[in-house]
Amino acid sequence: MRDNFNGGALRLLSLVLCIFWLSGLACPALAGGAGDGGGGGGGLVNTNVIRTVDLQGLPFVREQIGVVVQNEHDSKVYRTYTVSVPAEKAGRLSQLSVHERKSGEQLVVAKGEQSSASDQLLFRATLRRGGLQPGEKLSLNIDALFVSLVEPQPRAVAQSEDQVWRWADRALVASAYPTRKQKTVVKTRGDVVRFGGGGNATRDGRRAVVFGPYAAGLDDAAQLGVALRDDAERLEVA
C-alpha cells in the first residue's frame, strides 16, 4: 500500500508541475526535462557570438547579436532561449526582438523579468519546431535598440569647439549560457579618435573598431571604449 501511495503521490506532483508548465515553466517529470537551463550532460552553449554596435544613428544605439547556440545535453529538448540585458542598460532599452538567421522567422519573446541570481533583465524567446534537439545547432539574431548609451565630452560646447562622443560597454556580451568565442564590432558615422579595452582591439578603416575575438576566460569586468567625432550634427543633451 505504501509503495502504491508513493507512486500515486509522485504522479500527482507531476500533474501539479504540469500546471506550471502550461504557464511557461518546464515540466521535467513528464516533458523529458525540456526547458532552457543547464543540467547533467551539458546544456545550451553559445559556440560563437558576434555583437555589432551601430553608432551611426545617434543618439540611438542599435545592437545586433548574432549567436550560434548548440544543445549539448544528452537528452533534453530546449524550447526557449534566454536573452540577458545588463541592469545598467535595461532602463535604456527601447526595443528587442529575436529571429532565426537562416529562415528570418521572428520568434515570440516573453516580457522581461528581473533575474533573481544576477543584475540582468531576462527575456525568453520561444524556439520553433518543438525546440532545439540534443546535438542540434541554431543561429539566432538578437536586435536591440537603446537610447542615451553615448556620452558627449565635453557635454556643452560652442559651435566652433570640438566635441567627441564616447561609447563604453562590457567586453563580454551578457548571456545566461557559457560562451566559447565572441567579438564586438563598433561602427560609427564619424571618425574614431580613440579606442581601447579588452586587450585585443583593431581599427577597421576610419569608422569601425573590432574587439576580439575573445575566448572563454576573459575578465568579466573588462570594459571596451570608443570615442568618435560626430561631424553630422551637434546633438542636444538634456
Side-chain angles (χ1 to χ4, degrees):
M1 287 293 292
R2 179 171 298 176
D3 290 341
N4 291 337
F5 175 79
N6 288 341
L10 287 174
R11 285 192 293 273
L12 178 60
L13 178 59
S14 295
L15 289 174
V16 172
L17 289 174
C18 275
I19 294 174
F20 288 96
W21 176 78
L22 290 174
S23 60
L25 299 178
C27 180
L30 297 182
D36 74 340
L44 292 185
V45 175
N46 299 325
T47 60
N48 193 28
V49 172
I50 299 178
R51 171 177 57 176
T52 302
V53 180
D54 186 348
L55 304 180
Q56 299 175 88
L58 296 178
F60 300 101
V61 176
R62 297 184 182 275
E63 285 190 13
Q64 183 176 87
I65 301 174
V67 55
V68 179
V69 57
Q70 181 169 356
N71 181 358
E72 297 189 350
H73 199 278
D74 298 335
S75 58
K76 282 187 179 181
V77 178
Y78 292 94
R79 296 193 175 100
T80 61
Y81 181 88
T82 298
V83 178
S84 301
V85 179
E88 65 268 20
K89 296 170 65 176
R92 301 176 181 183
L93 178 66
S94 176
Q95 299 175 9
L96 187 140
S97 63
V98 183
H99 67 270
E100 290 186 355
R101 189 180 310 167
K102 184 175 181 180
S103 68
E105 290 286 341
Q106 291 282 339
L107 303 184
V108 176
V109 179
K111 185 178 179 181
E113 59 185 31
Q114 188 65 42
S115 169
S116 60
S118 66
D119 61 342
Q120 297 178 358
L121 192 64
L122 305 180
F123 298 82
R124 296 188 188 275
T126 301
L127 302 179
R128 300 170 63 245
R129 293 181 296 275
L132 197 61
Q133 304 293 321
E136 283 188 339
K137 282 185 177 181
L138 179 63
S139 295
L140 299 174
N141 278 355
I142 302 163
D143 295 290
L145 178 66
F146 297 92
V147 294
S148 302
L149 279 187
V150 292
E151 178 181 304
Q153 295 179 339
R155 288 184 63 86
V157 294
Q159 189 66 32
S160 60
E161 294 176 335
D162 196 19
Q163 184 181 52
V164 298
W165 291 82
R166 183 177 181 274
W167 168 89
D169 202 349
R170 302 183 188 186
L172 298 183
V173 177
S175 180
Y177 313 103
T179 298
R180 296 211 172 107
K181 183 181 178 182
Q182 62 179 288
K183 72 176 180 180
T184 293
V185 180
V186 180
K187 298 180 179 180
T188 75
R189 71 181 180 193
D191 291 350
V192 174
V193 294
R194 295 188 302 276
F195 64 92
N200 186 10
T202 57
R203 187 192 298 269
D204 184 9
R206 295 169 52 195
R207 300 186 175 184
V209 179
V210 179
F211 296 93
Y214 303 120
L218 182 68
D219 184 4
D220 188 49
Q223 293 278 318
L224 308 179
V226 172
L228 62 134
R229 182 173 289 107
D230 184 17
D231 298 326
E233 60 180 327
R234 296 190 183 278
L235 303 175
E236 294 290 335
V237 181

